[in-house]
Amino acid sequence: MKLLTSFLVPALTAAHALAAFPFSSVKKETAGFGNIVPNRFIIEVDEPADIPSRRSLDPRTVHETLYDSLRKRGVGFKVDREFNSEGLFIGAAVTLQDAQDAMTVLRMSGLKAIRPVVKIPAPKPVSIHIVTDVNDPAIPADTESTHVMTGVDKLHAQGILGKGVKVGILDTGVDYTNPVLGGGFGPGFKVIGGFDFVGDAYTLDEGSNTPVPDDDPLDQCNGHGTHVSGILGANPGNEFNISGVAYEASINMYRIFGCTGDTTDDVIIDALLRGVSDGNDILTMSLGGSSGWTEDTGSVVSSRIAATGKIVTIATGNDGTKGTFFTSAPATAINAIAVASVDNIVIPLQNVTVHGIQHDPITYFSTFPLPVNGTLPIFATSTDTTVVDDACDPLPDDTPDLSQFVVIVRRGTCTFVQKLTNVAAKGGNISLIYDDGAGFEAIDVGNFTSSLIQGDDGVFLVSEFASGANISLSFPQVGGSTGFPDSTTGGLVSSFSSYGPSNDMFFKPAVAAPGGNILSTFPVPLGSFALESGTSMATPFMAGVSALLFGLKGTSPEVGLGARTLFETTAQRISSNVTDGVPLQSVAVQGAGLVNAFNALTAETIVSPGELLLNDTAHFNGTQKFTVKNNGTAAKKFTVSHIPAGTALSLQPVCITLCEVSMTQKWPQGTPFPEDGPVPLSTQFATVKFSETSFTVHPGQTQEITAHFTPPTGLDPSVLPIFSGFIEIASTTESYQVTYLGLAASLINAQVVDTSDVFFGVDLPVIIDASGNFQNTTTNYTFVGADFPSLLLRLTFGTPELRIDLVDADINFKPTIPTRDIDTRHVFERETFSFPQASGGSFAQVKIAGPLFEADFLPRNSDVDDGTGFEEVTFSGAFFSNGTTIPNGSYRFLLRALKVTGDPVNEADFESWLSPIIGVDSPA
Ligand SMILES: *[C@@H]1O[C@H](CO)[C@@H](O)[C@H](O)[C@H]1NC(C)=O
Ligand SMILES: *[C@@H]1O[C@H](CO)[C@@H](O)[C@H](O)[C@H]1NC(C)=O
Ligand SMILES: *[C@@H]1O[C@H](CO)[C@@H](O)[C@H](O)[C@H]1NC(C)=O
Ligand SMILES: *[C@@H]1O[C@H](CO)[C@@H](O)[C@H](O)[C@H]1NC(C)=O
Ligand SMILES: *[C@@H]1O[C@H](CO)[C@@H](O)[C@H](O)[C@H]1NC(C)=O
Ligand SMILES: *[C@@H]1O[C@H](CO)[C@@H](O)[C@H](O)[C@H]1NC(C)=O
Ligand SMILES: *[C@@H]1O[C@H](CO)[C@@H](O)[C@H](O)[C@H]1NC(C)=O
């Protein structure tokens, strides 16, 4: 079968938001899996302290020992970076001549871990606008709304500004020549130091680029790190009247991205360890790549650093539309603070000016002014302000030439573009559409000059028009910007903010901070100021709040270790909807809620822990304790109550997917696909019983409370319902909370491998042959030139272990995923592969010809074609992964993916698939 885009299932255009991928997005010449960088690995070795005979040895010797044993085993390697931070990470980043040697390295003694180097994509704000000058039309008057939302303004008023605290930022560098960031570099300036690990020209996208490090982290070409730095530390008194959250803190900038392009996690580890040795109190990272696992190298090292009492803040990611279980790494770091984004309560919009009668300006939903000169009269397509289908049909013949009017149209029934097309047919090219109650928001007007105004404003304009008033409008190109109170999403979790939890049920994000529509500093050559959105903006905000905490309470490890709990227990719960108020948004995307810096820093009661991790039903940890300590001077009486949050239904019910997307049900169970964000919420909640519901704590005393949880009932476990909520501990004057999260399903039942035809029009997984055809019968490959097979697959859930082995064509093995042409035949005796840790269990019994591919802790795929939608594993040479040649013969690929929480030595915990027969017919 030849691959053509016409094979894509037509039903995909239906309501499911499932993106079918054009086959052209599959590149038959590139190998690789996810973000894994070929041939490069991070090796972690035992600490000298771990090895009794070497306890006295210098860590240097540890490296020499590592290289010696690599050489002794004939492993060809080049050292890219050396890590030498006792207690945090000792090891090296290496390039292996043969990736196959990773297996050999894995078997060496004294080795803690070998992980592939992974690519971390360049930070991309969700939106960006570079500000031109003080009169920039895009900039609203009140830009300190984010400080008001979080109580930072009250701390500033008390002179709490982060003085004496050092913050290390890992980013694209900083333009410290911007006067708002101190105008200089080095001791005595705001940016006291740092390092450039990569250089301007570094961009991983272009392949062989080698980093060119130097001492100067100046960035005048990218801008992301300068924006991040300003959110943390911009000096007040500038032309825009903005200030950083902790503008008396000092900054060390570690530049790990070049002007454009990606970086790798070995650079991040290097920068993190440098950040520690430079004595930073806080490390902050507005970066990440898709993961979902707590085991990525960057996550592991970040978590270890946080465990020493430094505060580490990391962006949760901008993948909110991709659904739950999609936290990026290193935000998955267990002890770090993963930060979600909340929309600013104020959005910068534009005003039109009303002429002819006395009336206030009218706000329209656009960041930038509509490009309209002069003052124009209005024309309403209907004088009935209740008309439901205004301008959906061609306008009447007696309509005048509309080219010199601002046309007023009511929203409803047909698309905006259809209305505007009808208006344009009468010459109208500038229109304002008034809301019919659907909501004041950004609308899609194609390439027409138009925008939405509120219903009342429309009714006013239409009635003035109907009464024949001499009314006209103008669109100021400067000075028309207004800070509009955002009553639609202001204060809610930003739609782009990624959902957790991690695949092992840690709740990520931990807390949220403002990250939508944030004005901050930018490199001087690029305009000095810019407006950006993203969890990248929320993260330095949290680093700033952390600096205020350290500034007030001192930079001791004790304060650092208690910080996340303090922020979580004093945060502000976030609703899922401003109009309805209920239910509360899922903890899977808000964490413990919007940080309240004032409440955190002035808390007189210490509640701990901040997170109750209830896990899935198979590992349900339903009895939890927390403590309430009175650190004040008077006795306090508290009551305890349960405030549930919406239960996030992670997956689309399978039946609907099958019925609407794939009419021919080939696979009885179907493949469940994630619900795209905003993930639907159920009001089936968990129930909780407390050991005490009210109690008094005297000064200095601590009360312990036990909570017994019961997961919600009546929900379909196959949609992976994430239940969550809060336990409020309140007195008449104070309120604290403990946040919980669990899964009303067992993760081992989550399907890992997509077996549907939804994405490419054929059942997955599938082999693609040399000419790009889907292979569904026996096919021979020479492995010369482009004549080799590739395996195309999608993961519907993360897997802790995925392997592909070559097996005999007539293996006696029944995969969990049926293949069309499998017979059960005689078994040949060959080498049996087992994982290094496998000692028994039934897994080792599968006879394989040899291993081809193995990877740990892979993220699930998304349903969008942006590089995260599917995986393609290419086998361009007739070699096993241990380097030996595959003898010519008849084989199949055996794909096995371990289910989450599965036992790696139990074959039954894997999903498996056998390919059609692959003939290896290599001339060599
Ligand atoms: C924009 O219009 C609104 C509503 O009339 C008004 O409250 C606000 O002050 C105006 N802002 C500017 C900058 O004109
Ligand atoms: C508005 O006027 C300016 C200056 O005269 C001109 O450059 C611009 O093209 C005009 N814009 C429109 C939309 O007519
Ligand atoms: C506007 O969009 C329509 C369809 O989307 C397209 O055909 C037309 O060329 C566009 N016009 C301009 C001026 O870009
Ligand atoms: C949940 O249970 C799994 C399986 O035992 C475990 O690996 C994981 O760490 C647990 N998660 C939490 C948050 O305790
Ligand atoms: C809030 O609820 C209303 C009505 O239920 C709905 O139309 C709107 O889309 C919701 N808003 C958000 C941000 O989810
Ligand atoms: C259950 O939760 C408690 C308290 O949070 C924790 O100490 C314990 O390790 C958890 N048990 C398991 C099996 O994860
Ligand atoms: C308890 O109160 C004392 C005195 O106000 C303060 O110094 C200390 O930081 C507080 N402890 C915590 C954990 O907040």
Side-chain angles (χ1 to χ4, degrees):
M1 187 176 13
K2 181 88 179 146
L3 264 168
L4 295 167
T5 41
S6 60
F7 281 138
L8 296 174
V9 185
L12 271 179
T13 51
H16 277 284
L18 283 178
F21 300 133
F23 186 62
S24 58
S25 57
V26 180
K27 294 174 196 65
K28 277 167 289 299
E29 64 289 352
T30 54
F33 203 109
N35 290 329
I36 294 173
V37 182
N39 287 33
R40 292 178 55 192
F41 296 88
I42 298 175
I43 301 176
E44 184 181 7
V45 296
D46 286 339
E47 304 256 331
D50 298 337
I51 314 162
S53 62
R54 296 207 200 126
R55 215 163 267 155
S56 58
L57 290 187
D58 190 279
R60 275 269 359 122
T61 328
V62 177
H63 286 101
E64 285 315 320
T65 312
L66 168 68
Y67 306 146
D68 279 349
S69 43
L70 288 175
R71 278 183 217 110
K72 253 187 255 156
R73 285 169 172 76
V75 174
F77 68 98
K78 174 172 98 46
V79 178
D80 300 322
R81 287 170 198 281
E82 222 167 63
F83 308 117
N84 195 3
S85 204
E86 251 187 284
L88 292 175
F89 201 89
I90 297 188
V94 297
T95 303
L96 298 184
Q97 231 156 48
D98 286 312
Q100 290 85 337
D101 283 335
M103 285 290 199
T104 312
V105 178
L106 193 57
R107 294 197 191 98
M108 287 171 22
S109 66
L111 187 108
K112 263 199 183 133
I114 174 163
R115 302 179 178 91
V117 167
V118 300
K119 196 156 58 159
I120 304 292
K124 285 186 202 78
V126 174
S127 66
I128 179 166
H129 168 69
I130 295 171
V131 174
T132 46
D133 60 51
V134 192
N135 297 321
D136 187 301
I139 300 308
D142 176 15
T143 46
E144 296 284 277
S145 52
T146 58
H147 293 185
V148 177
M149 289 166 77
T150 52
V152 166
D153 58 336
K154 293 190 217 164
L155 296 173
H156 282 190
Q158 296 180 8
I160 299 169
L161 299 162
K163 197 174 184 61
V165 180
K166 286 189 207 158
V167 185
I169 304 176
L170 280 66
D171 214 293
T172 62
V174 58
D175 186 2
Y176 45 72
T177 70
N178 189 324
V180 183
L181 291 174
F185 179 67
F189 288 100
K190 178 184 296 292
V191 182
I192 53 172
F195 194 71
D196 180 353
F197 287 86
V198 291
D200 271 11
Y202 178 75
T203 158
L204 199 71
D205 300 337
E206 282 160 29
S208 63
N209 220 321
T210 30
V212 183
D214 65 55
D215 289 338
D216 185 356
L218 181 68
D219 166 19
Q220 295 193 312
C221 55
N222 183 306
H224 187 271
T226 306
H227 198 269
V228 161
S229 300
I231 292 168
L232 174 89
N235 286 329
N238 53 72
E239 54 267 55
F240 289 104
N241 237 345
I242 56 164
S243 64
V245 175
Y247 58 81
E248 285 187 358
S250 300
I251 293 174
N252 281 300
M253 172 56 72
Y254 302 99
R255 186 183 195 210
I256 57 168
F257 289 96
C259 290
T260 60
D262 302 341
T263 194
T264 51
D265 63 345
D266 59 326
V267 181
I268 294 176
I269 309 308
D270 215 353
L272 280 171
L273 298 178
R274 172 74 182 252
V276 171
S277 65
D278 284 353
N280 290 290
D281 306 301
I282 296 164
L283 291 164
T284 187
M285 289 176 276
S286 291
L287 53 90
S290 54
S291 165
W293 294 101
T294 52
E295 283 84 356
D296 287 58
T297 319
S299 306
V300 168
V301 174
S302 302
S303 192
R304 287 180 193 160
I305 293 171
T308 67
K310 295 192 184 295
I311 299 177
V312 183
T313 53
I314 314 175
T316 298
N318 295 343
D319 291 317
T321 58
K322 294 176 182 169
T324 63
F325 292 101
F326 215 81
T327 315
S328 62
T332 47
I334 289 176
N335 296 311
I337 301 179
V339 188
S341 170
V342 161
D343 280 355
N344 203 336
I345 49 175
V346 165
I347 16 174
L349 295 181
Q350 293 292 327
N351 277 354
V352 286
T353 309
V354 179
H355 304 271
I357 54 168
Q358 194 67 31
H359 192 270
D360 285 339
I362 292 173
T363 303
Y364 60 98
F365 212 100
S366 176
T367 311
F368 307 104
L370 291 181
V372 177
N373 289 333
T375 300
L376 298 172
I378 61 171
F379 179 89
T381 47
S382 171
T383 51
D384 174 5
T385 55
T386 60
V387 60
V388 292
D389 59 351
D390 196 11
C392 287
D393 293 319
L395 302 184
D397 290 346
D398 61 356
T399 307
D401 171 13
L402 298 178
S403 61
Q404 292 311 309
F405 291 95
V406 178
V407 183
I408 312 298
V409 186
R410 187 163 191 257
R411 182 179 193 169
T413 305
C414 60
T415 64
F416 301 109
V417 169
Q418 186 176 334
K419 290 173 193 276
L420 297 170
T421 304
N422 288 330
V423 169
K426 294 291 178 189
N429 45 37
I430 300 153
S431 311
L432 290 174
I433 298 175
Y434 62 101
D435 192 30
D436 63 350
F440 189 44
E441 61 194 353
I443 58 169
D444 177 10
V445 296
N447 52 20
F448 290 103
T449 302
S450 181
S451 181
L452 191 72
I453 58 175
Q454 296 173 92
D456 289 352
D457 292 328
V459 169
F460 160 75
L461 290 173
V462 172
S463 58
E464 291 299 317
F465 171 75
S467 72
N470 179 21
I471 181 170
S472 55
L473 302 176
S474 67
F475 294 76
Q477 301 299 297
V478 166
S481 174
T482 186
F484 183 79
D486 180 355
S487 59
T488 314
T489 64
L492 298 185
V493 177
S494 307
S495 58
F496 55 76
S497 197
S498 293
Y499 284 76
S502 70
N503 293 340
D504 40 10
M505 296 301 295
F506 285 88
F507 87 66
K508 305 288 166 194
V511 284
N517 281 322
I518 308 296
L519 178 62
S520 182
T521 44
F522 222 52
V524 175
L526 302 182
S528 295
F529 291 90
L531 196 66
E532 295 198 6
S533 293
T535 51
S536 280
M537 282 65 244
T539 303
F541 196 100
M542 267 320 293
V545 174
S546 303
L548 299 181
L549 174 69
F550 271 147
L552 181 67
K553 305 226 165 180
T555 58
S556 72
E558 198 192 355
V559 171
L561 290 171
R564 186 175 73 190
T565 299
L566 184 61
F567 296 143
E568 288 173 337
T569 53
T570 55
Q572 313 165 73
R573 296 182 282 274
I574 303 169
S575 178
S576 62
N577 194 308
V578 249
T579 45
D580 295 353
V582 285
L584 290 177
Q585 185 51 275
S586 170
V587 169
V589 69
Q590 70 159 311
L594 176 62
V595 69
N596 188 313
F598 182 77
N599 288 354
L601 270 62
T602 57
E604 274 194 358
T605 304
I606 308 303
V607 175
S608 177
E611 306 178 350
L612 304 178
L613 305 168
L614 307 184
N615 221 331
D616 69 354
T617 48
H619 308 90
F620 190 56
N621 201 351
T623 299
Q624 299 275 346
K625 292 183 191 323
F626 58 90
T627 56
V628 179
K629 181 179 179 201
N630 184 347
N631 193 39
T633 50
K636 294 172 195 283
K637 185 169 190 303
F638 289 101
T639 54
V640 180
S641 54
H642 176 211
I643 303 176
T647 297
L649 306 176
S650 300
L651 306 180
Q652 300 175 26
V654 166
C655 173
I656 292 175
T657 308
L658 274 180
C659 301
E660 290 185 16
V661 176
S662 171
M663 296 306 291
T664 51
Q665 180 177 338
K666 295 180 187 120
W667 176 235
Q669 209 190 321
T671 293
F673 291 103
E675 290 279 11
D676 292 339
V679 172
L681 299 177
S682 157
T683 50
Q684 298 293 112
F685 303 130
T687 51
V688 198
K689 286 204 178 92
F690 303 108
S691 58
E692 323 278 332
T693 52
S694 81
F695 55 88
T696 298
V697 210
H698 294 282
Q701 288 192 337
T702 298
Q703 170 81 43
E704 184 179 77
I705 309 288
T706 304
H708 299 276
F709 290 86
T710 310
T713 52
L715 292 168
D716 173 4
S718 74
V719 305
L720 300 182
I722 301 167
F723 64 92
S724 61
F726 304 86
I727 294 163
E728 185 182 57
I729 303 109
S731 73
T732 47
T733 53
E734 295 171 77
S735 170
Y736 302 90
Q737 62 180 17
V738 175
T739 307
Y740 70 87
L741 177 142
L743 189 73
S746 176
L747 274 177
I748 201 158
N749 296 328
Q751 184 175 333
V752 171
V753 179
D754 182 359
T755 57
S756 77
D757 64 358
V758 169
F759 285 83
F760 292 101
V762 293
D763 288 339
L764 294 178
V766 71
I767 303 290
I768 317 168
D769 74 10
S771 13
N773 300 316
F774 291 132
Q775 178 193 333
N776 56 11
T777 58
T778 302
T779 308
N780 291 333
Y781 296 92
T782 59
F783 294 88
V784 175
D787 185 22
F788 55 80
S790 300
L791 176 62
L792 198 58
L793 75 154
R794 295 187 67 256
L795 298 178
T796 56
F797 210 84
T799 175
E801 178 91 58
L802 180 136
R803 52 177 307 120
I804 303 164
D805 295 299
L806 201 65
V807 297
D808 284 310
D810 45 10
I811 186 175
N812 180 11
F813 177 82
K814 193 169 180 304
T816 64
I817 304 167
T819 318
R820 251 156 271 138
D821 58 347
I822 300 296
D823 290 332
T824 313
R825 279 175 239 169
H826 177 71
V827 184
F828 288 135
E829 291 301 317
R830 291 254 183 139
E831 180 201 345
T832 298
F833 180 84
S834 59
F835 291 128
Q837 71 270 31
S839 55
S842 60
F843 191 86
Q845 301 311 310
V846 180
K847 303 290 176 273
I848 67 167
L852 293 176
F853 176 86
E854 179 180 349
D856 289 350
F857 300 115
L858 295 172
R860 75 165 168 87
N861 291 111
S862 73
D863 60 6
V864 294
D865 187 14
D866 65 351
T868 61
F870 61 88
E871 304 297 343
E872 185 198 2
V873 192
T874 298
F875 302 96
S876 53
F879 299 103
F880 291 115
S881 61
N882 59 14
T884 57
T885 303
I886 301 175
N888 283 354
S890 220
Y891 303 96
R892 295 176 195 271
F893 290 157
L894 170 57
L895 166 77
R896 283 177 287 190
L898 182 59
K899 296 196 267 191
V900 182
T901 70
D903 177 353
V905 298
N906 183 13
E907 184 66 44
D909 287 353
F910 285 79
E911 288 175 15
S912 53
W913 174 82
L914 271 177
S915 73
I917 293 174
I918 309 267
V920 176
D921 186 15
S922 163

